[in-house]
Amino acid sequence: MKPKSVTLDDVARHAGVSYQTVSRVLNQAAHVSAKTRDKVEQAMTALNYVPNRVAQQLAGKQSYTLGLATTELALHAPSQIASAMKTRANQLGFNVVISMIDNLSLPACRTAVNELMSQRVDGVLINVPLSNEDACAIAQLCGDLPVLFLDVDPQADVFKILFDPHCGAEQGVEHLLALGHQKIAVLTGPLESISARLRYEGWLNTLAKHQITPCAVQHGDWSAASGYQQALLLLNQPVRPTAILIANDQMALGVLRAVHEFGLRVPEQISVIGYDDTEDSAFFFPPLTTIKQDFRLLGHESVNRLVDHLHIHGDKQQSSLLLPTSLVERHTTSKPGESAVSQEALSQELLRIARQLSPR
């Protein structure tokens, strides 16, 4: 026999309050005392009550659900951002439903957004690379539904939150130039990605400011495999680079293996600098110098701003936000032809990381 579903009436009787009071607690109404709210929440826990989101939506009430249209979650950055979004949304009493896009095109993004809107979400987060024109088209598709973009040009006329790509690119170039590198190669992400293209432009502009042209350029697809394959091409150029700027840490992992198989040492013979500072990058060998983008911060802040947008009744003029990046210097960069760290110092660094991770 199918077990009987717990209703609002059941919760009200268990808590000793009215049906209307339970409804107000569910809808996060302000005029409920902390003591009453706690009593109702305890009753819900005791009865294992699960709110009927569909019924709430059909009644025209807020669903407390956000939609996320995102690129492939097998990649580190999108998966970390999505995880941070779900964590923060849950803290604020919201659920997150995800529609994943494997075809980076406007029609595919439209389909994903329509799927999310069909589930009556309260707002949409879009972590898909979009041109200014396409982002405006998606915003128009959403109508009055709040939509926040995470992978567009900083100049795009839409509600957005993203990292400053030019600042991060400049930090990587300036670090290598300060060490004395002149023969610098570039491994970009796929140029259909807005962030990859902007990082590439940032590298080129900063190098040009110092009257330097990259000695070689290759394009990867964000994966470690493409980093490995493209690094072999870079290392076989007529002018071998002394340093490589790489558009993400995952490709940098493949580059480190290619350099090793090529018979070169990092950083004594070639410096490597990644981008993202994923959790694994401190455990590469050698530990990776990289540009940090705080994905947890991006995920949390994007949910905060979208929920704030809902609470102020969909004010379309909310300001966008550009998040900072920072250089994380580890052991894959040094002066050309010079070891950045002794084996003893490297061992001490690895022991320090291990102590930080060990349970106290």
Side-chain angles (χ1 to χ4, degrees):
M1 179 182 292
K2 184 178 178 179
K4 179 180 178 293
S5 298
V6 178
T7 67
L8 286 187
D9 286 320
D10 296 327
V11 174
R13 279 193 296 271
H14 193 282
V17 299
S18 68
Y19 176 97
Q20 289 78 9
T21 297
V22 175
S23 179
R24 284 195 290 270
V25 170
L26 273 175
N27 291 314
Q28 300 186 3
H31 52 288
V32 178
S33 70
K35 182 178 180 180
T36 299
R37 186 180 302 277
D38 185 59
K39 187 189 300 184
V40 171
E41 289 175 348
Q42 287 183 22
M44 289 178 182
T45 301
L47 297 175
N48 196 26
Y49 173 74
V50 179
N52 189 333
R53 299 289 188 188
V54 174
Q56 290 178 327
Q57 292 167 358
L58 291 174
K61 298 179 180 178
Q62 188 173 351
S63 68
Y64 292 96
T65 301
L66 305 178
L68 169 62
T70 182
T71 52
E72 177 59 63
L73 290 179
L75 297 173
H76 282 308
S79 65
Q80 289 180 13
I81 293 167
S83 175
M85 286 177 175
K86 288 183 72 69
T87 298
R88 183 56 182 154
N90 289 341
Q91 291 170 348
L92 296 176
F94 282 76
N95 184 35
V96 176
V97 293
I98 297 176
S99 182
M100 195 167 67
I101 298 171
D102 54 12
N103 173 19
L104 299 181
S105 66
L106 180 58
C109 191
R110 283 181 181 276
T111 299
V113 171
N114 280 324
E115 177 186 330
L116 294 172
M117 290 196 297
S118 72
Q119 299 181 61
R120 297 177 181 265
V121 296
D122 294 325
V124 178
L125 301 147
I126 301 187
N127 190 19
V128 177
L130 293 169
S131 68
N132 295 2
E133 182 181 357
D134 288 351
C136 289
I138 292 297
Q140 186 174 13
L141 172 68
C142 291
D144 292 332
L145 192 70
V147 55
L148 177 62
F149 295 86
L150 284 78
D151 195 357
V152 294
D153 191 294
Q155 303 305 315
D157 187 23
V158 292
F159 184 32
K160 57 190 175 292
I161 176 171
L162 56 154
F163 293 105
D164 187 338
H166 297 296
C167 178
E170 183 178 37
Q171 288 166 335
V173 172
E174 294 291 354
H175 175 63
L176 293 178
L177 294 177
L179 291 172
H181 290 278
Q182 297 289 305
K183 294 183 288 185
I184 299 173
V186 169
L187 174 53
T188 80
L191 293 187
E192 61 267 24
S193 165
I194 302 299
S195 57
R197 191 159 65 243
L198 291 173
R199 287 173 206 174
Y200 181 41
E201 291 172 1
W203 286 330
L204 294 182
N205 291 339
T206 308
L207 288 168
K209 184 174 69 176
H210 293 274
Q211 299 181 323
I212 294 175
T213 300
C215 65
V217 176
Q218 292 293 335
H219 307 287
D221 65 6
W222 299 126
S223 70
S226 75
Y228 173 81
Q229 294 158 359
Q230 300 306 317
L232 293 177
L233 297 176
L234 290 173
L235 295 171
N236 276 298
Q237 296 292 321
V239 177
R240 182 182 296 167
T242 63
I244 305 177
L245 287 159
I246 306 164
N248 77 335
D249 291 352
Q250 226 167 335
M251 289 194 296
L253 178 61
V255 169
L256 290 175
R257 175 171 174 176
V259 171
H260 174 74
E261 291 186 0
F262 208 80
L264 300 175
R265 295 188 304 278
V266 175
E268 294 93 334
Q269 293 173 288
I270 188 163
S271 287
V272 171
I273 181 165
Y275 208 111
D276 284 342
D277 191 32
T278 57
E279 292 181 0
D280 293 340
S281 62
F283 299 93
F284 291 1
F285 188 81
L288 183 68
T289 296
T290 185
I291 303 301
K292 180 178 181 63
Q293 299 190 115
D294 191 336
F295 294 129
R296 184 181 298 276
L297 174 64
L298 176 61
H300 285 191
E301 281 300 314
S302 60
V303 170
N304 287 342
R305 294 178 78 80
L306 190 58
V307 171
D308 285 346
H309 193 108
L310 295 172
H311 288 166
I312 60 175
H313 308 296
D315 179 1
K316 290 282 186 180
Q317 302 305 314
Q318 267 214 102
S319 60
S320 298
L321 182 63
L322 204 59
L323 297 174
T325 59
S326 59
L327 174 72
V328 179
E329 188 174 355
R330 295 193 180 102
H331 303 315
T332 57
T333 52
S334 69
K335 295 179 179 180
E338 177 178 300
S339 175
V341 61
S342 68
Q343 285 298 113
E344 181 180 356
L346 179 56
S347 297
Q348 291 299 318
E349 172 69 4
L350 293 174
L351 284 172
R352 183 188 68 79
I353 294 173
R355 283 195 295 270
Q356 287 181 336
L357 294 175
S358 62
R360 295 177 183 269

